[in-house]
Amino acid sequence: MRISVWFAALCLLGGSPLRADDGPMVLDLRVEGLRRLSDAWVLSRIRTRAGEPLDSARVRADIERLAATGAVRRGRFAREEAPGGIVLVCILEEHPWVRSLRVETSTRALRRSLDRKLKHSREGFLSEADLAADVAALRAEAVHRRYLGVEVEVDRRGEEGWVDVVFRVSTGGRRRVTRIVMEGELPPEARRLRKFAGVQTRPHAPFVSGRFDPDVWEEDIRRMQAYLRREGWLDAAVETLSVEPYGERGLVPRLRVSRGTRYRVGHLEVA
């Protein structure tokens, strides 16, 4: 997260910059500029104390510590002269508060899968690092589902101190399955395996209208393996080798089928 911190030295209100060797006595501490945070929250996170001489290095560390919490966007200290010392004023600007988050895309099914990927951003103080992590996660999910030309934009709207975040995901269409390739030790029943991924014959399959759904495809892989084992190939295994692009908009899934040994019932005893 990139943190912007005001620290144009420790400045005097209406006066000259404080020198590092001044060290006047801090008579009181005051916090200004808060919206959601409390004075107690701020004072518990700084080391500068009333009743102690002013330490410029400690003040600088206090500003950096507050900024590192993710709640403070900018901060600075200023001082007011008082008899016998100074009153130190901590002036802060908070990050805006995230009021709502949502994903917008033209495809309802894609939006549902993308909603599940919003794991970093949440209601609370806005974090640029969390936004960037969610943008990367949304783009990766859309690419995983074989969408082309994926773009993710973040739109922020709100009043002062509040923000509504919208992730707008645009795509350039989706790749379609051109063919399915099976490799390995194919049993005689291999042809029947295609019914678990047939575009026309299996409405639950990932290739309805030629479109690929990774979640349903994994379920169909399990169906293929279960079918082979019901046929006596108890050691059979089916795995996805790759799902490769083909041409500009095509897709070719490659499977490896390991059949192992086929078992038959030789003798049956009933006790």
Side-chain angles (χ1 to χ4, degrees), residues 197-216:
V199 176
Q200 303 297 328
T201 60
R202 303 293 292 190
H204 72 274
F207 307 117
V208 175
S209 301
R211 294 173 181 172
F212 183 81
D213 186 324
D215 296 334
V216 181

Side-chain angles (χ1 to χ4, degrees), residues 2 31 55 107 119 123 176 205 227 234-235 261 265 267:
R2 184 177 181 181
V31 182
D55 185 329
T107 307
K119 297 181 179 179
E123 183 177 339
R176 295 178 178 272
Y227 168 74
L234 301 185
D235 302 323
T261 303
V265 177
H267 182 67

Side-chain angles (χ1 to χ4, degrees), residues 103-107 109-115 117 134-152 168-175 212-214 251:
V103 177
E104 290 185 357
T105 186
S106 58
T107 307
L110 178 60
R111 185 174 67 250
R112 286 197 297 266
S113 66
L114 294 180
D115 283 338
K117 295 299 178 179
D134 277 330
V135 166
L138 295 178
R139 181 180 291 109
E141 176 67 8
V143 171
H144 176 62
R145 292 183 175 277
R146 313 303 167 183
Y147 283 89
L148 301 168
V150 178
E151 297 291 340
V152 182
R168 290 194 169 88
V169 182
S170 60
T171 65
R174 200 172 186 182
R175 289 186 179 273
F212 183 81
D213 186 324
L251 200 64

Side-chain angles (χ1 to χ4, degrees), residues 22-38:
D22 276 354
M25 182 64 65
V26 178
L27 303 177
D28 193 15
L29 279 168
R30 192 169 73 246
V31 182
E32 296 181 354
L34 299 182
R35 292 179 178 274
R36 304 187 68 88
L37 299 175
S38 66

Side-chain angles (χ1 to χ4, degrees), residues 30-266:
R30 192 169 73 246
V31 182
E32 296 181 354
L34 299 182
R35 292 179 178 274
R36 304 187 68 88
L37 299 175
S38 66
D39 291 4
W41 185 91
V42 174
L43 295 176
S44 68
R45 285 163 174 77
I46 62 177
R47 302 291 180 262
T48 301
R49 297 286 183 265
E52 298 179 358
L54 181 64
D55 185 329
S56 297
R58 181 181 295 175
V59 168
R60 185 177 295 106
D62 286 341
I63 287 291
E64 294 174 350
R65 190 178 302 109
L66 288 171
T69 64
V72 176
R73 184 179 182 183
R74 298 187 181 92
R76 65 185 178 94
F77 278 90
R79 73 183 192 181
E80 297 175 355
E81 298 294 340
I86 63 169
V87 174
L88 198 61
V89 184
C90 181
I91 305 171
L92 301 177
E93 178 185 345
E94 299 175 359
H95 280 290
W97 187 265
V98 178
R99 182 167 52 185
S100 67
L101 290 159
R102 72 176 189 273
V103 177
E104 290 185 357
T105 186
S106 58
T107 307
R108 181 180 301 177
L110 178 60
R111 185 174 67 250
R112 286 197 297 266
S113 66
L114 294 180
D115 283 338
R116 295 192 293 268
K117 295 299 178 179
L118 285 180
K119 297 181 179 179
H120 299 87
S121 304
R122 58 196 178 279
E123 183 177 339
F125 289 108
L126 181 68
S127 166
E128 296 296 335
D130 288 345
L131 289 182
D134 277 330
V135 166
L138 295 178
R139 181 180 291 109
E141 176 67 8
V143 171
H144 176 62
R145 292 183 175 277
R146 313 303 167 183
Y147 283 89
L148 301 168
V150 178
E151 297 291 340
V152 182
E153 296 181 354
V154 181
D155 184 17
R156 313 173 204 194
R157 298 179 182 178
E159 305 167 359
E160 187 175 359
W162 297 84
V163 64
D164 297 310
V165 179
V166 180
F167 296 90
R168 290 194 169 88
V169 182
S170 60
T171 65
R174 200 172 186 182
R175 289 186 179 273
R176 295 178 178 272
V177 175
T178 304
R179 57 195 175 98
I180 304 168
V181 176
M182 295 186 181
E183 302 176 0
E185 302 172 348
L186 301 179
E189 294 84 0
R191 290 184 178 181
R192 298 180 186 177
L193 291 179
R194 295 182 184 274
K195 72 179 182 179
F196 294 99
V199 176
Q200 303 297 328
T201 60
R202 303 293 292 190
H204 72 274
F207 307 117
V208 175
S209 301
R211 294 173 181 172
F212 183 81
D213 186 324
D215 296 334
V216 181
W217 173 237
E218 291 301 320
E219 175 63 25
D220 283 345
I221 292 293
R222 290 189 287 270
R223 290 172 185 267
M224 294 179 191
Q225 185 165 280
Y227 168 74
L228 289 176
R229 291 180 178 179
R230 287 197 303 270
E231 293 296 314
W233 303 96
L234 301 185
D235 302 323
V238 182
E239 59 179 332
T240 303
L241 290 176
S242 62
V243 181
E244 303 171 356
Y246 183 82
E248 293 186 1
R249 306 185 71 85
L251 200 64
V252 178
R254 292 182 177 274
L255 302 177
R256 174 185 288 136
V257 180
S258 302
R259 65 184 184 183
T261 303
R262 190 173 195 179
Y263 296 87
R264 298 181 182 277
V265 177

